[in-house]
Structures are given as structure tokens and as C-alpha cells.
Amino acid sequence: MARVTRRKPAKRGAKRNNKRKQSKQGFPYIACFVALLLIAFISYFVFAVEKPATKIKPKKSTVKTEEALPEMPQPEWDYVDILKTKEVKVDIPIETKPSKPYQMQCGSFRHENDAESLKAKIAFQGLTSMVKKTGNWYRVILGPYERKRLAEKQRHKLQRAKINGCQIWFWR
């Protein structure tokens, strides 16, 4: 048979090392007193009997003689009549066209295959783009645009298709 070792029971009167100290707890007199005061305070306002209102004697009213109202004053301003005949001149600035057209660049890549794949994604959005080689870089460019607003409109269309990073500047 296997031998089982058991702990020896602690002796009575032996000191135990408890992490928590047990303190003497008496009856909570202060808490009961505060609770009773709170209950008495609330019940006073809930069940308080209203006192009957004292009757107020009406005051004797004095009869006032009506005075005649003065005549209604005539307006001193005649701007309403003047505004009907007034003519306002507005200077509308002449819209100036930019000296150069705008372009939008959506990417710049070292490899031509990367530029062509971005060009295909842009084509799926219904926009035409071109791949332009400058030095060792292949740039994907859209444009030219007469106004910057047209370029912004197409950039928002590309952003909805999760093609981000397009920049707009003057045509080179």
C-alpha cells in the first residue's frame, strides 16, 4: 500500500499568522442612529399635515377715472417709401481662369508594372489616366483639368474607391 502523509492539525493555543487581523465588532450604534434620523426626516415631509390656508381679506378697490389716450404719434422715418424706389448696384468680380491647367498625380513607382496596375484600378472607376516616365520613376497622371474643382471631384471619386494619395497641381 501507498503511504499517505497528512498534515498534523494545529494545536490549540498555537499562534496563527493571519494576514487579516480580526477586530472586535460591536453593535453599530452610530449607524442605527443616523438611519433613524434619516427615516424621521423623510417621514416628516411625506406625512406632514398641511395647515389650512388663512383667508385673505380682499382689498377695497378704488375707482379710477379713465383718462383719454394721447394721439398715436406719426412715424418720423420714411425709409420704407425710399427703399421701394432705391436701386442697388453690385459689382460682380470677373472670374479669372488659371494661366495653366491642373493635373492630378495618383502614384509614382520604380517599376512599370506597379504603375500599370494603378492605372487599371483607375480605369475601373471610369477615369482615364496615363503612365509617364520621368527619370527612373513611372508616374500615374490624370488630366489636364481646366479648373481645380473638376480635379477635386475626380479625386473624391477615387477616394471612395480607396485609391488615396492623389495630389493636384499645375500641369508640367
Side-chain angles (χ1 to χ4, degrees), residues 113-126:
N113 293 338
D114 297 333
E116 290 294 332
S117 67
L118 181 61
K119 180 181 175 181
K121 287 181 187 177
I122 293 171
F124 279 121
Q125 299 307 313

Side-chain angles (χ1 to χ4, degrees), residues 29-94:
Y29 291 106
I30 296 173
C32 289
F33 181 71
V34 170
L36 284 173
L37 281 177
L38 185 63
I39 291 170
F41 184 75
I42 292 172
S43 62
Y44 173 76
F45 285 105
V46 171
F47 300 111
V49 179
E50 293 184 21
K51 296 179 181 178
T54 58
K55 294 183 180 179
I56 301 173
K57 296 179 182 177
K59 294 181 180 180
K60 294 181 180 177
S61 61
T62 58
V63 178
K64 292 183 180 179
T65 59
E66 286 190 31
E67 296 180 14
L69 293 175
E71 290 183 23
M72 189 171 166
Q74 295 298 324
E76 297 176 18
W77 311 102
D78 56 349
Y79 63 89
V80 176
D81 298 328
I82 294 173
L83 286 178
K84 288 179 183 176
T85 60
K86 185 89 172 168
E87 189 172 316
V88 179
K89 295 181 182 177
V90 179
D91 293 330
I92 299 174
I94 299 171

Side-chain angles (χ1 to χ4, degrees), residues 16-36:
R16 292 183 181 178
N17 292 332
N18 288 341
K19 291 183 181 178
R20 291 185 244 148
K21 292 183 179 179
Q22 295 180 353
S23 63
K24 292 184 179 180
Q25 294 183 357
F27 188 75
Y29 291 106
I30 296 173
C32 289
F33 181 71
V34 170
L36 284 173

Side-chain angles (χ1 to χ4, degrees), residues 120-170:
K121 287 181 187 177
I122 293 171
F124 279 121
Q125 299 307 313
L127 303 173
T128 57
S129 62
M130 63 180 106
V131 176
K132 198 177 200 183
K133 183 176 181 184
T134 54
N136 295 334
W137 294 92
Y138 294 93
R139 299 178 357 183
V140 180
I141 296 174
L142 285 84
Y145 301 102
E146 290 180 16
R147 293 178 292 165
K148 189 173 183 180
R149 178 170 275 191
L150 296 172
E152 288 285 341
K153 185 177 179 182
Q154 289 190 359
R155 179 167 69 172
H156 291 302
K157 187 174 184 180
L158 292 173
Q159 285 175 345
R160 285 191 295 272
K162 297 191 170 122
I163 300 174
N164 295 316
C166 296
Q167 299 293 320
I168 299 171
W169 47 64
F170 287 114

